Amino acid sequence: MNCFPDEVMEHIFDYVTSQRDRNAMSLVCKNWHRLERCNRKSVFIGNCYSISPERVIERFPELKSLALKGKPHFAYFNLFPPGWGGFVYPWIEALAKNKVDLEELRLKRMVVTDECLELLSRSFMNFKCLVLVACEGFTTVGLAAIAANCRFLNELDLQEKEVDDPKGQWLSCFPDSSSLVSLNFACLQGEINLGALESLVARSPNLKSLRLNHTVPLSALQRILRQAPQLVDLGIGSFIHVPNSETYTKLKNTIIKCKSITSLSGFFEVAPHCLSAIYPICMNLTALDLSYARIQSRALIKLLRHCGKLQRLWIMDCIGDTGLGVVASTCKDLQELRVFRSAFIDRNDPLGVSEKGLVEISMGCPKLHSLIYFCQRMTNAALITVARNCPNFMCFRLWIFDPVKPDPDTMQPLDEGFGAIVQSCRQLRQLSLSGQLTDRVFLYIGVYAEQLEMLSIACAGESDKAMLYVLNGCKKLRKLKIRNSPFGDTALLMDIEKYETMRSLWMSSCNVTIGACKALAEKMPRLNVEIFNENEKVDCSVDDGKKVKKLYVYRTLAGRRKDAPEHVWSL
Amino acid sequence: MSPAAVGTEEDGRSKVSSTVASGSSQSLDCFSQNGAGLKERNYLGLSECSSVDSCSSTVPSMCDEKKENMNLKATELRLGLPGSQSPERDPNLYTLSSATFDEKPLFPLLPTKDGICSSQKTGTAAVSGNKRGFADTIDGFSQGKFTGNTGMNPLLSPRPSGTQSSAMKEMPSKLQERPSPANNGTSHNHAGASVSGSAPASKAQVVGWPPIRSFRKNSMVTTSNKNNDEVDGKPGVGALFVKVSMDGAPYLRKVDLRSYTTYQELSSALEKMFSCFILGQCGSHGAPGREMLSESKLRDLLHGSEYVLTYEDKDGDWMLVGDVPWEMFTDTCKRLKIMKGSDAIGLAPRAMEKSKSRS
């Protein structure tokens, strides 16, 4: 196998960038394991508690890029108690202590304090890229440290940061010669220094991606675009102005020159009449995120008619079924669609979207492979049609407002519809179910969904068999998230070794008892079993027969974690 | 599948087999063939039209117990390490699955027969029969015997028996060769027998539903207090959610000021919302009779000296609702408060006059 010298092997390995392929390569033989680990520059850790930072650093001495995830996905919906964990400080500390030449850090759902950011900015001379998605705990003070100390920073990307932050001058802290390529602060709620922003854009010739927050007015946008017509990805802050004003006219003329923009997002405030300024660049757009934009469906439809090349569309359900029909006829290349529940009611389409819209999309957009769909109703017939039209789904996540709603035409559960989806879409990796569902749909999933890695269930199933079908049948399952479903101890304990092949299991408001969780923890030392009930302190004397409100099980090589708060019971 | 297990076939329910060349055809081929074969029924012709009105109810198309037997095989518990599979099992299973499942790649909608798989969780006789059938099958499996359970109406059309039956005949032998390990078998029995029918939580009790990320919810509220231009002269573009608090109520509510156009609409909506607190009743979905009673009572209370509606404006001052034009009010209102008359001394008499002049 090793006829080539190490350098040649390493050179070949350099072409392999996918994490999964790399992991597979390291299992081939000891030699490959050694070569691979010395050659690997980028590591992804799906659960920050599954391994200790020291072990990662030891194994990958050439580590340059690290991606970590902290809380699991359900943390988004207030199901996790505050202070649960996901602290990144130990990682940064370990990386700094071992003098790792860190260049990129990507964190998701972790706690990042200003202290972390300051340590980060001072410890790694070549640090280039910081991406924080849905992280909490930092303010603009930490951002200022990053801006000031990371001389070679080219990417600073903040997404979905929840906490309101005080006004800060962090934008002024960037060095005079900025190498910024990507700057995203769209989620920050506070005011920013517009002058500093414009000056930064002016001295960042490499800037390709800029996403502004809602406090940046249209006038500033116009000035920024004039400085940076080379932008590829733009996130607009506020898009309101008096029509026919000088500023607005200037903006229209400036936008026309921005021929490189292929991705548009933001629109946190928008006046529909201003949207016509965007029309000239719509035909170049491949990605459009209007999921925060309060635009009535009529104006949305007008806009979308111009977007023939769209591949990715994120939108709110105020677009309505009619609007989705327009998308279906206009955006033939559509690959990813996300329809979110809008917080306001469109008088034209007060009920959001239904199965009709999805069927139209499936007919018009056969390349569709990723879907998030919040709808008011869904039918088996529609799902079957969609399955037949779009067999390429890799991600299919459907949520109905009423989580146990049956097919309204037939009053049947949605088993057959989802069954058709899993049978037709052989590459399906992520699936979220809702609607009235019996054990049958889980039978279908267990049999057909061979590639399934993530399954999210709410208020579904009738007995433990359902969970067992999934655990037995889905060999590639990595994340299983269950809530409000009647699965109990038998299901939990039937195949405990399975959990070591998965990243994590979440069960909330099911029928699992404390005793079963204790048994699980005892038998499987390489699993962490955590129970939590809101903010009550852990009461270890509680009866074993008591039902567990929230259970989080994940595999780990790091043992029980030491930073769990009081209301988390690690068994 | 041994013919005995199939039982009586449905008459012309699905005429797939005539177009299926062989059991192990690729699924894509099956699609087109089945498309042709199923046109007669044309439930799948739904792709042409956007709405479905031709089908009454859905039923699993396959022979349930047959599939369940094989599915049990596919989902059989292993004692070995996860991921390891005994080699001789896989190819058979694959041919089985491709033989049977690809023939029916989609699930044609068929009207229910005998209420099979009806949606009621409480379980009609047929549904419980369904479950019993499955449990019996598990029992049979664990005992290493292939039970031909005719509790269900198999819906399978005649199949080319060549490859099928040979493959199927291997099934029972496989079952006998490797009965599930004893302990698993017994626990299977338990799992099968104890069909816990605890109904899923009602919508009201599901925390965090619908699954909208909290960031998204919060950000929509933050930007909702800014004004949006109107479109086409229609009032109320965008939402303007403001908190409404009431003294003595355990929690606050939120209303969208833009969904109302007059003070009257707002106050009647608030009446509806807070009636339960006034009368000490929980839940706002009471019987219509009760609601009407409470509304009128509430109106009296609100328009009397009991409660006064006030709002906090942009400067932080608490003002009485009703003084300024509606548009100006929605522009300046940050939050609402229903104060007890006793707290609003000095405002209350004017409230009565105002309300009388309004109504």
Side-chain angles (χ1 to χ4, degrees):
Chain A
M1 194 157 341
N2 282 339
C3 352
F4 302 120
D6 285 354
E7 295 81 15
V8 176
M9 297 296 286
E10 285 183 14
H11 186 69
I12 298 174
F13 285 4
D14 278 339
Y15 286 100
V16 181
T17 48
S18 142
Q19 293 285 323
R20 286 162 199 240
D21 293 342
R22 281 277 181 162
N23 292 342
M25 273 160 48
S26 64
L27 294 175
V28 167
C29 63
K30 277 205 173 136
N31 208 23
W32 277 42
H33 187 272
R34 174 185 59 85
L35 283 170
E36 198 280 322
R37 75 168 253 266
C38 293
N39 177 260
R40 174 104 74 123
K41 307 223 173 25
S42 157
V43 174
F44 165 75
I45 305 219
N47 176 0
C48 65
Y49 288 119
S50 63
I51 193 163
S52 71
E54 288 77 20
R55 265 185 91 155
V56 176
I57 296 169
E58 191 190 317
R59 180 170 166 194
F60 300 111
E62 291 293 311
L63 183 64
K64 293 221 173 351
S65 161
L66 181 63
L68 288 172
K69 288 193 188 175
K71 298 184 210 171
H73 187 258
F74 267 20
Y76 282 137
F77 316 123
N78 291 331
L79 289 171
F80 263 64
W84 172 83
F87 306 107
V88 78
Y89 193 82
W91 287 83
I92 299 185
E93 199 180 29
L95 289 163
K97 203 162 35 164
N98 288 287
K99 305 222 189 309
V100 173
D101 185 20
L102 193 67
E103 291 181 8
E104 298 178 2
L105 187 61
R106 297 183 160 82
L107 305 176
K108 198 168 196 178
R109 297 187 289 265
M110 295 195 75
V111 176
V112 183
T113 59
D114 287 338
E115 207 187 0
C116 296
L117 292 178
E118 276 160 20
L119 180 59
L120 178 67
S121 69
R122 282 184 278 112
S123 309
F124 308 108
M125 286 302 108
N126 292 323
F127 194 71
K128 293 198 175 65
C129 163
L130 180 63
V131 178
L132 302 175
V133 178
C135 294
E136 55 178 345
F138 65 96
T139 69
T140 50
V141 172
L143 293 178
I146 295 281
N149 299 331
C150 300
R151 303 263 115 196
F152 302 110
L153 192 70
N154 63 29
E155 182 171 344
L156 178 60
D157 189 347
L158 309 170
Q159 296 177 33
E160 296 183 44
K161 181 188 168 302
E162 297 226 4
V163 180
D164 260 327
D165 50 17
K167 286 186 211 177
Q169 296 300 318
W170 63 283
L171 275 172
S172 331
C173 298
F174 281 95
D176 285 338
S177 66
S178 150
S179 46
L180 271 183
V181 174
S182 164
L183 177 63
N184 175 359
F185 59 93
C187 62
L188 291 188
Q189 299 298 323
E191 300 275 342
I192 53 146
N193 183 332
L194 290 176
L197 173 64
E198 290 170 36
S199 152
L200 177 62
V201 172
R203 62 182 196 273
S204 303
N206 299 326
L207 196 64
K208 287 271 185 312
S209 164
L210 178 65
R211 297 199 182 192
L212 311 168
N213 75 350
H214 71 99
T215 64
V216 178
L218 192 137
S219 46
L221 174 68
Q222 186 270 324
R223 292 191 290 271
I224 289 170
L225 286 180
R226 210 178 42 177
Q227 299 276 1
Q230 77 282 5
L231 281 180
V232 169
D233 168 31
L234 174 65
I236 291 181
S238 164
F239 208 60
I240 297 181
H241 221 276
V242 176
N244 300 326
S245 68
E246 195 189 325
T247 313
Y248 181 65
T249 319
K250 271 200 234 172
L251 176 75
K252 276 168 77 167
N253 296 334
T254 314
I255 287 189
I256 292 181
K257 298 203 185 83
C258 298
K259 299 230 180 283
S260 315
I261 294 183
T262 56
S263 163
L264 207 53
S265 60
F267 295 98
F268 301 110
E269 296 164 8
V270 54
H273 67 256
C274 291
L275 285 176
S276 54
I278 302 288
Y279 294 164
I281 54 169
C282 279
M283 55 188 175
N284 300 326
L285 291 180
T286 55
L288 182 57
D289 178 2
L290 295 173
S291 59
Y292 290 96
R294 300 164 176 281
I295 310 176
Q296 302 272 340
S297 62
R298 212 181 299 177
L300 274 178
I301 290 174
K302 254 193 191 173
L303 176 68
L304 286 167
R305 281 199 204 279
H306 290 86
C307 305
K309 283 200 198 157
L310 266 191
Q311 294 172 15
R312 197 178 80 202
L313 177 62
W314 294 14
I315 203 149
M316 290 207 275
D317 66 359
C318 49
I319 190 177
D321 288 331
T322 334
L324 287 178
V326 173
V327 172
S329 56
T330 314
C331 312
K332 292 297 180 191
D333 288 334
L334 198 66
Q335 296 174 21
E336 178 180 327
L337 175 66
R338 297 194 184 184
V339 181
F340 295 104
R341 180 78 184 113
S342 55
F344 71 102
I345 308 296
D346 182 341
R347 283 162 200 261
N348 296 325
D349 275 300
L351 296 178
V353 295
S354 74
E355 80 276 9
K356 296 187 181 54
L358 187 59
V359 170
E360 295 213 43
I361 291 278
S362 74
M363 293 198 304
C365 312
K367 293 187 193 172
L368 197 64
H369 63 69
S370 173
L371 178 74
I372 289 185
Y373 201 71
F374 277 81
C375 57
Q376 186 251 341
R377 46 173 274 161
M378 184 53 58
T379 63
N380 282 314
L383 285 173
I384 291 173
T385 310
V386 169
R388 153 184 256 226
N389 292 337
C390 298
N392 299 320
F393 272 117
M394 292 187 31
C395 167
F396 191 88
R397 294 157 75 174
L398 190 96
W399 288 293
I400 307 176
F401 299 162
D402 177 355
V404 290
K405 188 171 177 146
D407 180 335
D409 292 340
T410 62
M411 299 317 288
Q412 292 291 315
L414 290 178
D415 300 333
E416 297 310 310
F418 282 108
I421 295 280
V422 292
Q423 192 183 25
S424 164
C425 306
R426 291 300 190 167
Q427 300 302 313
L428 195 65
R429 294 218 182 139
Q430 297 182 31
L431 178 64
S432 296
L433 311 169
S434 67
Q436 189 183 33
L437 296 163
T438 69
D439 287 349
R440 178 163 295 277
V441 69
F442 297 101
L443 184 59
Y444 295 152
I445 291 174
V447 172
Y448 293 114
E450 290 160 9
Q451 302 294 324
L452 196 65
E453 294 177 4
M454 190 285 284
L455 179 63
S456 173
I457 303 167
C459 314
E462 296 158 314
S463 74
D464 286 348
K465 280 185 292 193
M467 186 165 160
L468 292 176
Y469 293 145
V470 172
L471 289 176
N472 294 338
C474 300
K475 304 281 183 263
K476 298 205 176 169
L477 195 64
R478 292 201 347 243
K479 292 176 275 185
L480 181 58
K481 308 179 230 176
I482 305 173
R483 52 178 158 164
N484 296 80
S485 301
F487 307 139
D489 297 343
T490 323
L492 180 70
L493 296 177
M494 182 68 76
D495 186 5
I496 50 181
E497 274 149 24
K498 172 83 177 174
Y499 304 131
E500 267 192 17
T501 68
M502 293 164 50
R503 187 190 294 175
S504 66
L505 166 73
W506 165 274
M507 291 180 77
S508 63
S509 304
C510 298
N511 295 338
V512 179
T513 65
I514 294 191
C517 298
K518 282 187 183 169
L520 178 63
E522 205 178 297
K523 287 190 203 154
M524 303 293 295
R526 284 201 298 257
L527 293 179
N528 272 2
V529 180
E530 295 184 11
I531 301 180
F532 26 102
N533 296 343
E534 294 315 322
N535 286 327
E536 305 155 13
K537 262 205 211 158
V538 168
D539 181 6
C540 296
S541 62
V542 141
D543 177 40
D544 273 3
K546 183 159 181 225
K547 286 216 182 123
V548 167
K549 277 210 197 120
K550 294 176 188 170
L551 168 67
Y552 182 46
V553 179
Y554 56 93
R555 67 176 174 188
T556 178
L557 295 171
R560 212 194 282 190
R561 63 186 177 109
K562 301 181 185 64
D563 58 1
E566 279 181 332
H567 43 265
V568 172
W569 186 3
S570 303
L571 292 169
Chain B
M1 188 77 48
S2 60
V6 172
T8 56
E9 288 156 4
E10 289 263 327
D11 306 317
R13 278 297 169 197
S14 29
K15 304 208 168 134
V16 182
S17 62
S18 53
T19 60
V20 177
S22 71
S24 54
S25 53
Q26 292 297 317
S27 41
L28 280 176
D29 293 344
C30 277
F31 272 29
S32 47
Q33 286 164 5
N34 285 333
L38 285 166
K39 253 200 191 121
E40 185 169 343
R41 278 285 163 213
N42 208 23
Y43 290 111
L44 295 179
L46 295 166
S47 53
E48 262 72 329
C49 63
S50 58
S51 64
V52 177
D53 45 14
S54 54
C55 61
S56 48
S57 48
T58 66
V59 164
S61 60
M62 333 235 345
C63 167
D64 293 301
E65 46 131 351
K66 177 181 189 176
K67 207 162 73 119
E68 282 161 7
N69 285 333
M70 289 191 295
N71 299 336
L72 201 56
K73 198 78 179 145
T75 61
E76 182 196 46
L77 300 176
R78 315 159 304 276
L79 271 191
L81 288 173
S84 65
Q85 292 170 3
S86 36
E88 77 270 18
R89 192 174 139 207
D90 268 358
N92 286 336
L93 198 53
Y94 183 76
T95 50
L96 282 177
S97 36
S98 59
T100 50
F101 303 141
D102 288 350
E103 281 175 26
K104 283 257 177 84
L106 302 172
F107 297 76
L109 305 177
L110 300 161
T112 43
K113 209 154 195 285
D114 306 332
I116 292 170
C117 294
S118 68
S119 58
Q120 289 127 25
K121 289 205 189 310
T122 50
T124 60
V127 172
S128 47
N130 183 8
K131 296 247 180 322
R132 273 205 303 278
F134 186 82
D136 287 348
T137 318
I138 296 177
D139 294 344
F141 180 86
S142 65
Q143 293 158 21
K145 235 172 60 173
F146 186 84
T147 56
N149 195 308
T150 54
M152 288 291 309
N153 272 341
L155 306 168
L156 214 48
S157 58
R159 292 161 174 273
S161 48
T163 48
Q164 267 292 279
S165 47
S166 58
M168 291 323 300
K169 280 192 182 103
E170 289 181 39
M171 261 283 288
S173 58
K174 277 269 162 283
L175 283 170
Q176 280 163 3
E177 275 170 19
R178 253 184 310 116
S180 59
N183 50 352
N184 279 352
T186 43
S187 20
H188 246 309
N189 283 339
H190 290 151
S194 65
V195 177
S196 57
S198 64
S202 64
K203 174 170 71 162
Q205 295 163 11
V206 180
V207 175
W209 192 271
I212 303 178
R213 295 189 186 184
S214 40
F215 172 78
R216 184 172 288 277
K217 277 194 230 170
N218 294 342
S219 69
M220 296 305 277
V221 169
T222 309
T223 55
S224 71
N225 285 334
K226 305 231 180 154
N227 292 329
N228 289 326
D229 285 17
E230 296 180 0
V231 81
D232 300 332
K234 265 199 192 139
V237 171
L240 187 54
F241 283 100
V242 295
K243 288 186 190 173
V244 187
S245 60
M246 175 160 152
D247 294 335
Y251 48 85
L252 280 62
R253 300 296 301 265
K254 272 211 165 151
V255 287
D256 176 8
L257 288 183
R258 295 220 187 276
S259 52
Y260 312 112
T261 48
T262 64
Y263 284 113
Q264 187 59 35
E265 281 181 30
L266 173 65
S267 77
S268 35
L270 289 177
E271 282 160 22
K272 284 199 184 76
M273 252 190 214
F274 286 90
S275 58
C276 59
F277 298 127
I278 305 264
L279 301 171
Q281 289 164 2
C282 269
S284 49
H285 308 293
R290 265 179 30 200
E291 249 186 46
M292 285 188 337
L293 184 63
S294 58
E295 268 181 48
S296 56
K297 249 189 137 178
L298 180 60
R299 201 171 291 130
D300 292 341
L301 289 171
L302 274 187
H303 290 196
S305 56
E306 279 269 353
Y307 290 93
V308 162
L309 188 57
T310 61
Y311 72 99
E312 182 184 9
D313 72 352
K314 281 191 173 144
D315 300 324
D317 301 318
W318 285 96
M319 323 273 287
L320 182 69
V321 167
D323 287 333
V324 296
W326 174 259
E327 296 300 332
M328 201 186 297
F329 166 68
T330 50
D331 278 353
T332 54
C333 171
K334 285 255 176 254
R335 49 189 302 186
L336 289 162
K337 188 164 179 178
I338 303 178
M339 283 186 190
K340 278 217 179 78
S342 49
D343 291 341
I345 286 180
L347 294 176
R350 268 192 294 156
M352 280 173 66
E353 289 166 355
K354 282 269 181 231
S355 62
K356 280 177 190 148
S357 64
R358 250 182 294 163
S359 54

